[in-house]
Amino acid sequence: MAEVDEASKPLFAGLSDVSISEDIPVEGEITVPVGSPSHDDEYSTLDEPVKETILRDLKAVGKKFGHVMYPKKSTTLLRDWDLWGPLLLCVTLALMLQGGSADSKEDGGPQFAEVFVIIWFGSVIITLNSKLLGGTISFFQSLCVLGYCILPLTVAMIVCRLVLLGGTGTASFIVRFIVVVASFGWSTFASTAFLADSQPPNRKALVVYPVFLFYFVISWMIVTFSPSHSDGATDTGP
Amino acid sequence: MAAVDGLQFQEFDDAENLLGANRDATTISIGDPNEKPTNQRRSLGNSPREEDDDLLGNADSDKTELLAGQRKSAAFWTFEYYQKFFDVDTYQVLDRIKGSVLPLPGKNFVRLYIRSNPDLYGPFWICATLVFAIAISGNISNFLVHLGQPQYHYMPEFRKVTIAATAIYSYAWLVPLALWGFLMWRNSKVMNIVSYSFLEIVCVYGYSLFIYIPAAILWIIPIEWVRWITILVAMCLSGSVLVITFWPAVRDDNRRIAIATISAIIILHALLAVGCKAYFFDVPQIEVPGVSGSIASVPRFC
């Protein structure tokens, strides 16, 4: 390609107003130099160090965690959705629900796969439900919000396991119950803060109820978690 | 338009008659077109005569058939097709739930509440809630029943959720399918005046299961006669809604077949309740060695 002509040509007079200022020389090379330090709009992420890539995603996930813990009506969760956070939370929760009471292998707490299926399948069903009722939120945005709002319940699970280390009596049950109820309320409140605006006004309750049921079931799984009495964990995995 | 005669009060004709006279006139109909027939029926329902109700229902069914036919435009593989079945507002769902637990003689649930707008929201989420209500209440009640016993080790028994889900969703979808098929078959032989679409039957069955949710919660109380009374009351209420709904559909048929159909509906309804109670809730004061023994033959979920 030849150099761009001077902007003084009458045919292209309009161009100078649009894009090119006369001060900046517009001649250059056509080859992209490797490791170029130029910071124009199209920053190529292909050449950055791996640590930066991972850190950027982790920072995005961490920022969204912060939004869940202090739910305000912001659109960050909705705008830049990602499913890393929900996956992380889901795996953590499912792992911590293992090693539960398992005198017999037949009954006991939910298996890893069951927790996974409930969380992801439940989120998909709730998203479909809200879209069928006329919601304007997109599919993955809704999955993102529902997954991120599991964070308070995961924190409650960690607290429960710590409390269970101290004993399994009535006092520990009361403490665990209160913690789980509080985090259940927090999760439901956080997710409705993000989701409520995208629903038609006379159907809000119809959309919020399944979310309530979803977090209720997860809270139930956390509250009824009772530690194993046998020596080795009979966790058989998925 | 009728000629204006000074400032005298004039009766204007119905919108339909006006349009009949002058095709190009614009008319406004204020209010929900669904409300008018309801008010008519409510005023007639004060002196309930089943023939009147049926006549209204028949006329309504013709109109609603026409109206329903105009809406089926989207193909079944598009999203919009399924959005039709979620076209309900909160108050409509609550009204339908109320109608399913308060059977009023002469008031047909389908005609009164569904009115050619069957929804899938109610049946689906009521079944989901019922599944979890039964599983969780069963767990709590077993815990309470075996509370003092040293050899009882509490287990969440999560496996039961999948069993409950299978049972309840099969009941809520396969029984309506069978009933609809049966009614269609009888319709081809005997000219029944009232006929329901498949989704309306699913709707009735789904909403009729609502009464079992508070019943399941009441079953936590570990006293046997309380549980049986709860079952009886719940069955009477929702069973009568079902009977009132389906009696007009089979009434014109052979007497014995009509009675057999209605009995089958009631028996299946009762069977679901009693089966759930027997399976998920241990009987108190009798040393049952854990229900977990009875599901040892159930294949593992994963």
Side-chain angles (χ1 to χ4, degrees):
Chain A
M1 279 177 221
E3 300 174 22
V4 178
D5 283 331
E6 297 282 342
S8 57
K9 255 206 173 165
L11 257 179
F12 299 109
L15 275 181
S16 65
D17 304 321
V18 174
S19 50
I20 305 171
S21 162
E22 283 127 359
D23 296 329
I24 299 180
V26 291
E27 60 181 24
E29 300 179 356
I30 59 173
T31 57
V32 178
V34 176
S36 157
S38 69
H39 288 280
D40 46 339
D41 288 343
E42 313 240 332
Y43 181 62
S44 164
T45 60
L46 203 56
D47 304 317
E48 62 180 5
V50 174
K51 189 174 78 155
E52 264 186 54
T53 313
I54 295 182
L55 274 183
R56 182 175 57 241
D57 277 335
L58 278 180
K59 274 197 207 130
V61 169
K63 207 160 69 149
K64 293 206 190 72
F65 279 169
H67 274 101
V68 171
M69 293 313 262
Y70 301 104
K72 307 183 286 282
K73 276 204 180 6
S74 82
T75 53
T76 309
L77 262 192
L78 296 182
R79 212 175 34 231
D80 314 314
W81 61 265
D82 74 89
L83 293 178
W84 284 115
L87 182 67
L88 200 64
L89 290 171
C90 179
V91 168
T92 313
L93 192 58
L95 280 177
M96 283 199 292
L97 279 170
Q98 298 306 299
S101 70
D103 282 340
S104 75
K105 274 198 204 156
E106 305 276 343
D107 257 338
Q111 298 293 318
F112 185 89
E114 284 169 347
V115 177
F116 231 79
V117 161
I118 281 194
I119 291 183
W120 287 103
F121 200 56
S123 303
V124 166
I125 297 253
I126 293 178
T127 308
L128 279 179
N129 177 64
S130 91
K131 283 187 79 67
L132 283 169
L133 281 170
T136 55
I137 200 171
S138 97
F139 183 76
F140 286 108
Q141 283 173 345
S142 173
L143 279 187
C144 169
V145 167
L146 288 168
Y148 269 104
C149 290
I150 296 182
L151 176 67
L153 287 169
T154 311
V155 169
M157 183 73 214
I158 298 178
V159 169
C160 279
R161 283 212 85 147
L162 290 176
V163 167
L164 277 172
L165 285 179
T168 56
T170 314
S172 105
F173 176 74
I174 293 180
V175 169
R176 281 185 291 141
F177 186 75
I178 293 179
V179 166
V180 171
V181 166
S183 60
F184 161 68
W186 200 339
S187 286
T188 312
F189 172 70
S191 64
T192 48
F194 290 115
L195 288 178
D197 286 335
S198 62
Q199 306 305 326
N202 47 349
R203 297 181 183 182
K204 278 201 168 48
L206 295 184
V207 172
V208 166
Y209 171 71
V211 176
F212 169 88
L213 187 65
F214 176 63
Y215 289 129
F216 182 78
V217 170
I218 298 182
S219 318
W220 171 255
M221 289 196 295
I222 295 177
V223 158
T224 60
F225 174 80
S226 57
S228 149
H229 286 268
S230 54
D231 284 339
T234 53
D235 164 29
T236 54
Chain B
M1 282 276 281
V4 176
D5 189 11
L7 290 173
Q8 296 293 335
F9 177 75
Q10 313 220 10
E11 280 288 332
F12 282 101
D13 280 347
D14 220 12
E16 298 146 344
N17 297 338
L18 280 177
L19 272 179
N22 181 4
R23 285 264 156 219
D24 294 329
T26 52
T27 56
I28 305 172
S29 61
I30 302 174
D32 192 348
N34 286 338
E35 282 174 5
K36 221 165 117 204
T38 310
N39 289 337
Q40 287 176 359
R41 184 164 310 109
R42 288 227 175 95
S43 63
L44 268 182
N46 289 335
S47 55
R49 287 188 299 157
E50 220 172 330
E51 293 84 20
D52 277 340
D53 194 57
D54 265 335
L55 282 177
L56 266 180
N58 298 337
D60 209 47
S61 72
D62 289 343
K63 248 192 274 180
T64 52
E65 286 292 318
L66 283 174
L67 284 176
Q70 290 167 9
R71 287 198 314 207
K72 290 186 176 47
S73 48
F76 71 89
W77 57 81
T78 59
F79 195 68
E80 286 73 28
Y81 178 79
Y82 297 102
Q83 240 172 349
K84 269 202 322 252
F85 307 127
F86 283 79
D87 193 17
V88 280
D89 292 334
T90 309
Y91 75 92
Q92 280 175 323
V93 172
L94 292 176
D95 269 345
R96 292 176 185 192
I97 291 180
K98 195 169 49 101
S100 76
V101 297
L102 297 173
L104 300 166
K107 304 278 173 64
N108 191 330
F109 180 77
V110 175
R111 293 294 162 227
L112 196 58
Y113 291 106
I114 308 283
R115 302 192 55 82
S116 84
N117 186 20
D119 70 304
L120 288 180
Y121 178 89
F124 182 78
W125 286 111
I126 290 179
C127 289
T129 311
L130 186 60
V131 164
F132 288 115
I134 286 189
I136 292 179
S137 311
N139 206 230
I140 296 180
S141 106
N142 287 353
F143 174 71
L144 288 177
V145 161
H146 298 289
L147 192 48
Q149 298 156 4
Q151 72 272 21
Y152 177 75
H153 178 60
Y154 171 74
M155 290 181 290
E157 289 177 332
F158 201 73
R159 202 59 33 77
K160 295 196 165 177
V161 173
T162 43
I163 299 173
T166 314
I168 289 174
Y169 273 100
S170 322
Y171 175 81
W173 289 86
L174 294 182
V175 172
L177 185 66
L179 189 60
W180 175 73
F182 177 76
L183 288 178
M184 284 293 119
W185 174 60
R186 293 311 298 177
N187 243 354
S188 67
K189 300 200 157 197
V190 177
M191 198 54 214
N192 277 331
I193 305 179
V194 178
S195 70
Y196 300 121
S197 73
F198 171 60
L199 281 169
E200 286 171 348
I201 301 185
V202 166
C203 232
V204 173
Y205 264 87
Y207 280 104
S208 75
L209 284 178
F210 175 79
I211 188 77
Y212 287 135
I213 297 177
I217 299 179
L218 281 179
W219 285 342
I220 296 181
I221 304 174
I223 305 177
E224 198 57 17
W225 57 266
V226 168
R227 291 182 180 175
W228 281 110
I229 290 190
T230 313
I231 286 191
L232 226 54
V233 170
M235 264 185 48
C236 284
L237 285 179
S238 61
S240 52
V241 170
L242 286 177
V243 166
I244 294 177
T245 303
F246 288 109
W247 179 244
V250 294
R251 188 178 46 185
D252 302 313
D253 208 344
N254 185 357
R255 196 82 188 165
R256 294 212 311 232
I257 295 189
I259 302 276
T261 312
I262 298 291
S263 325
I265 293 178
I266 299 180
I267 289 179
L268 281 174
H269 208 57
L271 213 58
L272 179 77
V274 173
C276 283
K277 178 192 169 302
Y279 186 74
F280 293 102
F281 295 82
D282 285 345
V283 178
Q285 290 134 18
I286 299 180
E287 193 55 61
V288 176
V291 188
S292 53
S294 70
I295 65 168
S297 57
V298 172
R300 281 168 63 89
F301 174 71
C302 65

PDB file of all heavy atoms in Angstrom, chain B residues 253-277:
ATOM      1  N   ASP B 253     -70.760 -40.321  28.422  1.00  0.00           N
ATOM      2  CA  ASP B 253     -70.318 -41.618  27.960  1.00  0.00           C
ATOM      3  C   ASP B 253     -71.133 -42.704  28.650  1.00  0.00           C
ATOM      4  O   ASP B 253     -71.994 -42.431  29.475  1.00  0.00           O
ATOM      5  CB  ASP B 253     -68.829 -41.767  28.269  1.00  0.00           C
ATOM      6  CG  ASP B 253     -68.149 -42.676  27.298  1.00  0.00           C
ATOM      7  OD1 ASP B 253     -68.849 -43.429  26.590  1.00  0.00           O
ATOM      8  OD2 ASP B 253     -66.921 -42.639  27.244  1.00  0.00           O
ATOM      9  N   ASN B 254     -70.802 -43.905  28.297  1.00  0.00           N
ATOM     10  CA  ASN B 254     -71.372 -45.070  28.971  1.00  0.00           C
ATOM     11  C   ASN B 254     -71.165 -44.932  30.478  1.00  0.00           C
ATOM     12  O   ASN B 254     -70.081 -44.586  30.924  1.00  0.00           O
ATOM     13  CB  ASN B 254     -70.669 -46.321  28.444  1.00  0.00           C
ATOM     14  CG  ASN B 254     -71.279 -47.562  28.995  1.00  0.00           C
ATOM     15  OD1 ASN B 254     -72.189 -47.512  29.807  1.00  0.00           O
ATOM     16  ND2 ASN B 254     -70.776 -48.694  28.533  1.00  0.00           N
ATOM     17  N   ARG B 255     -72.220 -45.224  31.247  1.00  0.00           N
ATOM     18  CA  ARG B 255     -72.186 -44.954  32.675  1.00  0.00           C
ATOM     19  C   ARG B 255     -71.007 -45.630  33.348  1.00  0.00           C
ATOM     20  O   ARG B 255     -70.308 -45.044  34.168  1.00  0.00           O
ATOM     21  CB  ARG B 255     -73.490 -45.479  33.298  1.00  0.00           C
ATOM     22  CG  ARG B 255     -73.717 -44.916  34.678  1.00  0.00           C
ATOM     23  CD  ARG B 255     -74.321 -43.559  34.533  1.00  0.00           C
ATOM     24  NE  ARG B 255     -74.381 -42.900  35.817  1.00  0.00           N
ATOM     25  CZ  ARG B 255     -74.592 -41.594  35.941  1.00  0.00           C
ATOM     26  NH1 ARG B 255     -74.767 -40.868  34.872  1.00  0.00           N
ATOM     27  NH2 ARG B 255     -74.630 -41.038  37.120  1.00  0.00           N
ATOM     28  N   ARG B 256     -70.811 -46.898  32.976  1.00  0.00           N
ATOM     29  CA  ARG B 256     -69.773 -47.657  33.664  1.00  0.00           C
ATOM     30  C   ARG B 256     -68.389 -47.111  33.330  1.00  0.00           C
ATOM     31  O   ARG B 256     -67.519 -47.028  34.186  1.00  0.00           O
ATOM     32  CB  ARG B 256     -69.864 -49.124  33.281  1.00  0.00           C
ATOM     33  CG  ARG B 256     -71.131 -49.755  33.780  1.00  0.00           C
ATOM     34  CD  ARG B 256     -70.922 -51.205  34.112  1.00  0.00           C
ATOM     35  NE  ARG B 256     -70.255 -51.911  33.028  1.00  0.00           N
ATOM     36  CZ  ARG B 256     -70.716 -53.034  32.499  1.00  0.00           C
ATOM     37  NH1 ARG B 256     -71.837 -53.546  32.926  1.00  0.00           N
ATOM     38  NH2 ARG B 256     -70.061 -53.639  31.551  1.00  0.00           N
ATOM     39  N   ILE B 257     -68.190 -46.728  32.084  1.00  0.00           N
ATOM     40  CA  ILE B 257     -66.872 -46.213  31.719  1.00  0.00           C
ATOM     41  C   ILE B 257     -66.610 -44.895  32.429  1.00  0.00           C
ATOM     42  O   ILE B 257     -65.486 -44.620  32.867  1.00  0.00           O
ATOM     43  CB  ILE B 257     -66.774 -46.054  30.184  1.00  0.00           C
ATOM     44  CG1 ILE B 257     -66.855 -47.413  29.538  1.00  0.00           C
ATOM     45  CG2 ILE B 257     -65.520 -45.325  29.807  1.00  0.00           C
ATOM     46  CD1 ILE B 257     -66.549 -47.403  28.075  1.00  0.00           C
ATOM     47  N   ALA B 258     -67.668 -44.088  32.549  1.00  0.00           N
ATOM     48  CA  ALA B 258     -67.477 -42.805  33.229  1.00  0.00           C
ATOM     49  C   ALA B 258     -67.052 -43.030  34.677  1.00  0.00           C
ATOM     50  O   ALA B 258     -66.102 -42.419  35.175  1.00  0.00           O
ATOM     51  CB  ALA B 258     -68.769 -41.992  33.163  1.00  0.00           C
ATOM     52  N   ILE B 259     -67.779 -43.920  35.343  1.00  0.00           N
ATOM     53  CA  ILE B 259     -67.437 -44.186  36.742  1.00  0.00           C
ATOM     54  C   ILE B 259     -66.036 -44.767  36.847  1.00  0.00           C
ATOM     55  O   ILE B 259     -65.251 -44.412  37.743  1.00  0.00           O
ATOM     56  CB  ILE B 259     -68.460 -45.170  37.357  1.00  0.00           C
ATOM     57  CG1 ILE B 259     -69.856 -44.597  37.253  1.00  0.00           C
ATOM     58  CG2 ILE B 259     -68.100 -45.477  38.785  1.00  0.00           C
ATOM     59  CD1 ILE B 259     -70.218 -43.657  38.333  1.00  0.00           C
ATOM     60  N   ALA B 260     -65.702 -45.663  35.921  1.00  0.00           N
ATOM     61  CA  ALA B 260     -64.374 -46.292  35.981  1.00  0.00           C
ATOM     62  C   ALA B 260     -63.280 -45.247  35.794  1.00  0.00           C
ATOM     63  O   ALA B 260     -62.254 -45.272  36.489  1.00  0.00           O
ATOM     64  CB  ALA B 260     -64.264 -47.382  34.915  1.00  0.00           C
ATOM     65  N   THR B 261     -63.505 -44.324  34.878  1.00  0.00           N
ATOM     66  CA  THR B 261     -62.479 -43.297  34.644  1.00  0.00           C
ATOM     67  C   THR B 261     -62.269 -42.446  35.882  1.00  0.00           C
ATOM     68  O   THR B 261     -61.143 -42.193  36.311  1.00  0.00           O
ATOM     69  CB  THR B 261     -62.890 -42.402  33.466  1.00  0.00           C
ATOM     70  OG1 THR B 261     -63.306 -43.215  32.388  1.00  0.00           O
ATOM     71  CG2 THR B 261     -61.746 -41.530  33.043  1.00  0.00           C
ATOM     72  N   ILE B 262     -63.382 -41.978  36.434  1.00  0.00           N
ATOM     73  CA  ILE B 262     -63.257 -41.117  37.604  1.00  0.00           C
ATOM     74  C   ILE B 262     -62.598 -41.872  38.762  1.00  0.00           C
ATOM     75  O   ILE B 262     -61.739 -41.343  39.479  1.00  0.00           O
ATOM     76  CB  ILE B 262     -64.642 -40.584  38.010  1.00  0.00           C
ATOM     77  CG1 ILE B 262     -65.238 -39.748  36.894  1.00  0.00           C
ATOM     78  CG2 ILE B 262     -64.546 -39.778  39.279  1.00  0.00           C
ATOM     79  CD1 ILE B 262     -64.519 -38.449  36.675  1.00  0.00           C
ATOM     80  N   SER B 263     -62.977 -43.137  38.931  1.00  0.00           N
ATOM     81  CA  SER B 263     -62.352 -43.900  40.021  1.00  0.00           C
ATOM     82  C   SER B 263     -60.866 -44.067  39.777  1.00  0.00           C
ATOM     83  O   SER B 263     -60.063 -43.976  40.713  1.00  0.00           O
ATOM     84  CB  SER B 263     -62.988 -45.286  40.142  1.00  0.00           C
ATOM     85  OG  SER B 263     -64.341 -45.219  39.850  1.00  0.00           O
ATOM     86  N   ALA B 264     -60.485 -44.291  38.521  1.00  0.00           N
ATOM     87  CA  ALA B 264     -59.059 -44.456  38.231  1.00  0.00           C
ATOM     88  C   ALA B 264     -58.295 -43.190  38.578  1.00  0.00           C
ATOM     89  O   ALA B 264     -57.204 -43.243  39.163  1.00  0.00           O
ATOM     90  CB  ALA B 264     -58.857 -44.815  36.758  1.00  0.00           C
ATOM     91  N   ILE B 265     -58.878 -42.039  38.242  1.00  0.00           N
ATOM     92  CA  ILE B 265     -58.213 -40.779  38.561  1.00  0.00           C
ATOM     93  C   ILE B 265     -58.001 -40.662  40.060  1.00  0.00           C
ATOM     94  O   ILE B 265     -56.908 -40.335  40.545  1.00  0.00           O
ATOM     95  CB  ILE B 265     -59.056 -39.587  38.040  1.00  0.00           C
ATOM     96  CG1 ILE B 265     -59.083 -39.584  36.517  1.00  0.00           C
ATOM     97  CG2 ILE B 265     -58.511 -38.282  38.554  1.00  0.00           C
ATOM     98  CD1 ILE B 265     -59.916 -38.473  35.950  1.00  0.00           C
ATOM     99  N   ILE B 266     -59.069 -40.954  40.812  1.00  0.00           N
ATOM    100  CA  ILE B 266     -58.963 -40.802  42.260  1.00  0.00           C
ATOM    101  C   ILE B 266     -57.969 -41.802  42.844  1.00  0.00           C
ATOM    102  O   ILE B 266     -57.164 -41.466  43.719  1.00  0.00           O
ATOM    103  CB  ILE B 266     -60.351 -40.975  42.909  1.00  0.00           C
ATOM    104  CG1 ILE B 266     -61.300 -39.909  42.388  1.00  0.00           C
ATOM    105  CG2 ILE B 266     -60.248 -40.900  44.412  1.00  0.00           C
ATOM    106  CD1 ILE B 266     -62.668 -40.007  42.980  1.00  0.00           C
ATOM    107  N   ILE B 267     -58.031 -43.030  42.351  1.00  0.00           N
ATOM    108  CA  ILE B 267     -57.155 -44.057  42.922  1.00  0.00           C
ATOM    109  C   ILE B 267     -55.695 -43.722  42.669  1.00  0.00           C
ATOM    110  O   ILE B 267     -54.847 -43.852  43.557  1.00  0.00           O
ATOM    111  CB  ILE B 267     -57.527 -45.438  42.353  1.00  0.00           C
ATOM    112  CG1 ILE B 267     -58.857 -45.881  42.933  1.00  0.00           C
ATOM    113  CG2 ILE B 267     -56.457 -46.464  42.691  1.00  0.00           C
ATOM    114  CD1 ILE B 267     -59.319 -47.209  42.408  1.00  0.00           C
ATOM    115  N   LEU B 268     -55.386 -43.272  41.461  1.00  0.00           N
ATOM    116  CA  LEU B 268     -53.996 -42.924  41.174  1.00  0.00           C
ATOM    117  C   LEU B 268     -53.530 -41.769  42.054  1.00  0.00           C
ATOM    118  O   LEU B 268     -52.392 -41.751  42.543  1.00  0.00           O
ATOM    119  CB  LEU B 268     -53.845 -42.550  39.696  1.00  0.00           C
ATOM    120  CG  LEU B 268     -53.780 -43.728  38.754  1.00  0.00           C
ATOM    121  CD1 LEU B 268     -53.792 -43.255  37.323  1.00  0.00           C
ATOM    122  CD2 LEU B 268     -52.523 -44.534  39.016  1.00  0.00           C
ATOM    123  N   HIS B 269     -54.417 -40.807  42.248  1.00  0.00           N
ATOM    124  CA  HIS B 269     -54.071 -39.667  43.092  1.00  0.00           C
ATOM    125  C   HIS B 269     -53.768 -40.129  44.511  1.00  0.00           C
ATOM    126  O   HIS B 269     -52.790 -39.713  45.134  1.00  0.00           O
ATOM    127  CB  HIS B 269     -55.247 -38.692  43.092  1.00  0.00           C
ATOM    128  CG  HIS B 269     -54.851 -37.281  43.319  1.00  0.00           C
ATOM    129  ND1 HIS B 269     -53.948 -36.615  42.514  1.00  0.00           N
ATOM    130  CD2 HIS B 269     -55.202 -36.403  44.273  1.00  0.00           C
ATOM    131  CE1 HIS B 269     -53.794 -35.393  42.948  1.00  0.00           C
ATOM    132  NE2 HIS B 269     -54.538 -35.232  44.028  1.00  0.00           N
ATOM    133  N   ALA B 270     -54.630 -41.021  45.007  1.00  0.00           N
ATOM    134  CA  ALA B 270     -54.415 -41.543  46.356  1.00  0.00           C
ATOM    135  C   ALA B 270     -53.144 -42.365  46.432  1.00  0.00           C
ATOM    136  O   ALA B 270     -52.383 -42.276  47.403  1.00  0.00           O
ATOM    137  CB  ALA B 270     -55.612 -42.384  46.784  1.00  0.00           C
ATOM    138  N   LEU B 271     -52.909 -43.123  45.383  1.00  0.00           N
ATOM    139  CA  LEU B 271     -51.733 -44.003  45.386  1.00  0.00           C
ATOM    140  C   LEU B 271     -50.452 -43.191  45.491  1.00  0.00           C
ATOM    141  O   LEU B 271     -49.516 -43.561  46.205  1.00  0.00           O
ATOM    142  CB  LEU B 271     -51.725 -44.811  44.085  1.00  0.00           C
ATOM    143  CG  LEU B 271     -51.164 -46.224  44.175  1.00  0.00           C
ATOM    144  CD1 LEU B 271     -51.941 -47.011  45.199  1.00  0.00           C
ATOM    145  CD2 LEU B 271     -51.253 -46.887  42.820  1.00  0.00           C
ATOM    146  N   LEU B 272     -50.414 -42.060  44.795  1.00  0.00           N
ATOM    147  CA  LEU B 272     -49.219 -41.226  44.855  1.00  0.00           C
ATOM    148  C   LEU B 272     -48.971 -40.760  46.277  1.00  0.00           C
ATOM    149  O   LEU B 272     -47.858 -40.851  46.796  1.00  0.00           O
ATOM    150  CB  LEU B 272     -49.380 -40.028  43.917  1.00  0.00           C
ATOM    151  CG  LEU B 272     -48.176 -39.086  43.935  1.00  0.00           C
ATOM    152  CD1 LEU B 272     -47.058 -39.688  43.123  1.00  0.00           C
ATOM    153  CD2 LEU B 272     -48.537 -37.727  43.397  1.00  0.00           C
ATOM    154  N   ALA B 273     -50.045 -40.282  46.916  1.00  0.00           N
ATOM    155  CA  ALA B 273     -49.871 -39.744  48.264  1.00  0.00           C
ATOM    156  C   ALA B 273     -49.438 -40.836  49.233  1.00  0.00           C
ATOM    157  O   ALA B 273     -48.470 -40.677  49.981  1.00  0.00           O
ATOM    158  CB  ALA B 273     -51.180 -39.109  48.733  1.00  0.00           C
ATOM    159  N   VAL B 274     -50.161 -41.938  49.205  1.00  0.00           N
ATOM    160  CA  VAL B 274     -49.851 -42.995  50.164  1.00  0.00           C
ATOM    161  C   VAL B 274     -48.481 -43.595  49.897  1.00  0.00           C
ATOM    162  O   VAL B 274     -47.715 -43.884  50.817  1.00  0.00           O
ATOM    163  CB  VAL B 274     -50.949 -44.079  50.115  1.00  0.00           C
ATOM    164  CG1 VAL B 274     -50.564 -45.251  50.979  1.00  0.00           C
ATOM    165  CG2 VAL B 274     -52.268 -43.493  50.584  1.00  0.00           C
ATOM    166  N   GLY B 275     -48.150 -43.743  48.625  1.00  0.00           N
ATOM    167  CA  GLY B 275     -46.843 -44.285  48.289  1.00  0.00           C
ATOM    168  C   GLY B 275     -45.719 -43.397  48.781  1.00  0.00           C
ATOM    169  O   GLY B 275     -44.732 -43.861  49.352  1.00  0.00           O
ATOM    170  N   CYS B 276     -45.865 -42.077  48.570  1.00  0.00           N
ATOM    171  CA  CYS B 276     -44.818 -41.173  49.043  1.00  0.00           C
ATOM    172  C   CYS B 276     -44.698 -41.245  50.549  1.00  0.00           C
ATOM    173  O   CYS B 276     -43.592 -41.307  51.100  1.00  0.00           O
ATOM    174  CB  CYS B 276     -45.144 -39.743  48.625  1.00  0.00           C
ATOM    175  SG  CYS B 276     -44.794 -39.416  46.919  1.00  0.00           S
ATOM    176  N   LYS B 277     -45.839 -41.262  51.229  1.00  0.00           N
ATOM    177  CA  LYS B 277     -45.771 -41.306  52.680  1.00  0.00           C
ATOM    178  C   LYS B 277     -45.099 -42.590  53.154  1.00  0.00           C
ATOM    179  O   LYS B 277     -44.249 -42.585  54.029  1.00  0.00           O
ATOM    180  CB  LYS B 277     -47.181 -41.209  53.267  1.00  0.00           C
ATOM    181  CG  LYS B 277     -47.161 -41.310  54.786  1.00  0.00           C
ATOM    182  CD  LYS B 277     -48.538 -41.493  55.318  1.00  0.00           C
ATOM    183  CE  LYS B 277     -48.500 -41.848  56.775  1.00  0.00           C
ATOM    184  NZ  LYS B 277     -47.742 -43.064  57.052  1.00  0.00           N
TER     185      LYS B 277
END
